[in-house]
Amino acid sequence: MIDSYRHKGMRKQLVSELEQKGIKDKRVLEAIMNVPRHFFLDAVFTEQAYSNMAFQIGAGQTISHPYTVAFQTELLELKKGDKVLEIGTGSGFQTSILCEMGAKVFSIERQRELYLKANQIVPKLGYPAKLKFGDGYIGWPSFAPFDKIIVTCGAPYIPDELVSQLKPNGRLVIPIGAGKDQEMLLIVKEEDGSITKSQLGVFSFVPMLKETAK
Ligand code: SAH
């Protein structure tokens, strides 16, 4: 795998596109600049890897648009050392962005094929994320509570387990909707355990599936 000056140039272009679309967090933009997205894609997509597009990654799933990755990551308001749970490892790109920003990342994927692939590439890039093949609806109780939780598939509802695995002042970013489109929700758990929700626009994700694949 080669990360050439040309790839870096294309990434720079992508970063300015994301800035124009309203992404402000410099650390998010820096992480997009530093993580070679083409490493997470099939070689046939290398030329388009830095356009704001989603691509097939196998098992009927897609890597999220870079804008979506940047938007969700910005909403997390990450601090170095934050313990973050990701639901939907997929290609491992979002996982790597979180690691690049200094988070301690735990990520769950329900498609074994994708879990196995991500479990190769993420450590190869030097990111010490902890990955698991399993069902995101139940979260990861043995490592809970988390400072932040990010769901990268469209959930039909907010799983109670995820809210309960959030620390006080924690943030959960989750796209909600069972159809083609989802509403991006930011859920903040206040100090007293109460919840505030904000709606942040319409996105399109692959569905969060209920049963764990065999
Ligand atoms: N963050 C990924 C996005 C992949 S798409 C990336 O950067 O590439 C969403 C992923 O969620 C898919 O890989 C899909 O298999 C996974 N997924 C769907 N339902 C799930 C569930 N119940 N638990 C865990 N992962 C799930």
Side-chain angles (χ1 to χ4, degrees), residues 12-13 110 113 116 162 171 173 176 178 192 211:
K12 216 166 171 181
Q13 194 101 41
R110 70 175 286 285
E113 173 192 340
L116 291 171
L162 297 186
R171 297 163 82 82
V173 176
I176 295 289
D192 64 3
E211 279 166 59

Side-chain angles (χ1 to χ4, degrees), residues 164-175:
S164 71
Q165 289 175 29
L166 208 52
K167 285 186 193 174
N169 296 316
R171 297 163 82 82
L172 162 62
V173 176
I174 180 167

Side-chain angles (χ1 to χ4, degrees), residues 66-108:
Y67 175 72
T68 307
V69 172
F71 188 85
Q72 288 195 283
T73 309
E74 187 166 71
L75 285 177
L76 291 177
E77 293 186 357
L78 278 185
K79 290 198 274 305
K80 263 207 175 99
D82 270 356
K83 215 162 115 188
V84 180
L85 175 66
E86 178 191 23
I87 308 301
T89 317
S91 65
F93 178 67
Q94 170 78 72
T95 316
S96 302
I97 292 286
L98 297 169
C99 292
E100 177 67 30
M101 292 178 70
K104 287 194 212 98
V105 186
F106 299 81
S107 184
I108 306 175

Side-chain angles (χ1 to χ4, degrees), residues 57 61-64 69 86-95 108-111 114 134-137 152-153 206-211:
I57 52 171
Q61 308 302 323
T62 52
I63 186 173
S64 301
V69 172
E86 178 191 23
I87 308 301
T89 317
S91 65
F93 178 67
Q94 170 78 72
T95 316
I108 306 175
E109 171 57 52
R110 70 175 286 285
Q111 301 284 352
L114 298 180
D135 182 4
Y137 280 92
T152 69
C153 37
V206 294
M208 183 171 181
L209 301 166
K210 190 77 196 158
E211 279 166 59

Side-chain angles (χ1 to χ4, degrees), residues 12-69:
K12 216 166 171 181
Q13 194 101 41
L14 173 63
V15 165
S16 55
E17 194 183 325
L18 296 176
E19 258 182 310
Q20 275 160 30
K21 282 182 178 285
I23 302 298
K24 291 190 184 66
D25 189 332
K26 293 281 176 228
R27 295 161 318 143
V28 172
L29 295 166
E30 209 171 277
I32 301 267
M33 187 61 217
N34 290 341
V35 179
R37 189 175 185 243
H38 65 285
F39 287 5
F40 298 84
L41 298 173
D42 201 281
V44 298
F45 299 131
T46 300
E47 283 307 306
Q48 296 135 288
Y50 298 103
S51 52
N52 186 30
M53 287 166 73
F55 296 99
Q56 297 295 327
I57 52 171
Q61 308 302 323
T62 52
I63 186 173
S64 301
H65 288 72
Y67 175 72
T68 307
V69 172

